[in-house]
Amino acid sequence: MSEPNGTSARAAGPLATRTSGTVRVVGSGLLGASIGHALTARGVDVVLVDASPSQLRLAIDYGAGRAARDDDAPSLIVVAVPPDVTADVVQRELAAFPDAVVTDVASVKLEPLRTLRERGVDLRHYIGSHPMAGRERGGAISARADIFVGRPWVVCRDGETSAHDLSLVEGLALDLGATLIEMTPEEHDESVALMSHVPQLVASLLAGRFVEAPDGSLRLAGQGVRDTTRIAASAPELWVQILGANAAPVVSVLDRLSADLAEVAEALRDPDVPGARRAVADTIRRGNEGVERLPGKHGQNRRFDTFVVMVDDTSGQLGRLFGELGDLDVNVEDLRLEHSPGAPFGLAEISVVPDAVRRAVDGLQQRGWRIASTTHD
């Protein structure tokens, strides 16, 4: 199993890489240290810089890179600092290393760009970018070399961006296993408002209802509510910055969502009023349609069917389940686990291509597995 800091990946030796020379990473928190681990595993010389000496030493101790030297000449600089200081750090790095390409990984793109333009900074060697990756816990101790694998990485180039500079930033994203997406800063900020920032607020608002909830209610929590509120564990300090920097697109989505909530709440005040049940049904149906539009595995729009297997809570059961699915020539496309409170078993919801459902279910039942449910007709 890979360690959180990616040391097992390095033990296998350097991997093929598009990124060469020295990469300077400014900010050794979750994203910065994760970039350092992934590049170091590929034999890239990574320099770490951080305003916090203790954070920097921790990231270096974990193997995310080395300390800076006076003779460093980075070809690529990655700014991985909070949004409220991103513009300041980008400006400083561009001035200190005029021959390097500078990118940042902040979760908002328009505000830093506007600030830099207003200051008259030469941005020919600056390319804003944003990997859609993260964890509920931050800091160098939570960094992982594989955090970007399969995740979208948005690149915001403009008419002044040279092919050479663009290739450095795109090469970085590809080396880290990410999927490249090109957007304007405006498109990016509107998109993350809907796909990331408002979901954070919704999760936090819902989880906030649990604070004064009776203990008996909390004991009923299943996988649905845990999935819905998972990101509510995120750091408030960082989200205050993110939401403040992207306030207008977030408010736009919140206003529309507020209108939707008001409509369904009004329908439920008296479900017997003509049209009330239809309004509720339309709300659920529209949610179905929205979920159907989300990309699936590897960004595909391919849909899968699911079945649920009851798994005894004993050592080796999941391994045996996957082994027998392999024997049945069934590829697992996705997996979700839910523990049953007070029961000695869990529920494994397994997604497969529709054609494989019947083969999987029949084969597992013949081998003694208990199938709790299936979405297959």
Side-chain angles (χ1 to χ4, degrees), residues 15-41:
L15 305 175
T17 177
R18 300 168 182 82
T19 305
S20 60
T22 296
V23 175
R24 177 179 165 95
V25 179
V26 185
S28 56
L30 174 64
L31 291 185
S34 294
I35 291 171
H37 287 305
L39 290 178
T40 301

Side-chain angles (χ1 to χ4, degrees), residues 186-205:
E186 293 84 358
E187 290 171 338
H188 169 273
D189 286 3
E190 291 172 0
S191 297
V192 294
L194 178 61
M195 291 289 110
S196 175
H197 301 171
V198 169
Q200 173 65 52
L201 283 172
V202 171
S204 296
L205 288 168

Side-chain angles (χ1 to χ4, degrees), residues 7 35 39 52-53 56 65-67 99-100 131 178 186 193 197 208 213 229 252 262 272 369:
T7 53
I35 291 171
L39 290 178
S52 168
L56 175 61
R66 63 171 175 84
D99 295 328
E186 293 84 358
H197 301 171
T229 59
S252 178
D272 293 327
W369 291 94

Side-chain angles (χ1 to χ4, degrees), residues 91-113:
Q91 181 177 2
R92 185 189 72 203
E93 295 297 312
L94 286 169
F97 300 96
D99 295 328
V101 174
V102 178
T103 188
D104 75 281
V105 294
S107 56
V108 290
K109 297 272 66 91
L110 190 55
E111 184 65 25
L113 180 62

Side-chain angles (χ1 to χ4, degrees), residues 1-2 10 72-73 127-128 133 137 140 153 192 230 241 261 265 281 308 329 331-332 361:
M1 178 178 293
S2 176
R10 286 195 298 275
D72 287 333
I127 304 173
R137 293 184 175 89
W153 190 306
V192 294
R230 176 183 59 82
Q241 294 185 33
L261 287 170
V308 178
D329 195 26
N331 184 51
V332 176
V361 169

Side-chain angles (χ1 to χ4, degrees), residues 24-28 47-50 77-81 89 92-93:
R24 177 179 165 95
V25 179
V26 185
S28 56
V47 174
L48 297 178
V49 181
D50 199 289
I77 299 172
V78 181
V79 174
V81 298
V89 177
R92 185 189 72 203
E93 295 297 312

Side-chain angles (χ1 to χ4, degrees), residues 355-371:
D355 291 346
V357 174
R358 182 50 52 198
R359 181 170 72 255
V361 169
D362 289 348
L364 290 176
Q365 286 178 327
Q366 291 171 8
R367 288 164 169 78
W369 291 94
R370 294 170 292 173
I371 305 299

Side-chain angles (χ1 to χ4, degrees), residues 302-320:
R302 191 178 189 183
R303 303 268 70 90
F304 305 114
D305 281 348
T306 63
F307 58 92
V308 178
V309 184
M310 299 173 66
V311 181
D312 291 337
D313 190 11
T314 57
S315 177
Q317 291 302 300
L318 272 178
R320 184 167 72 89

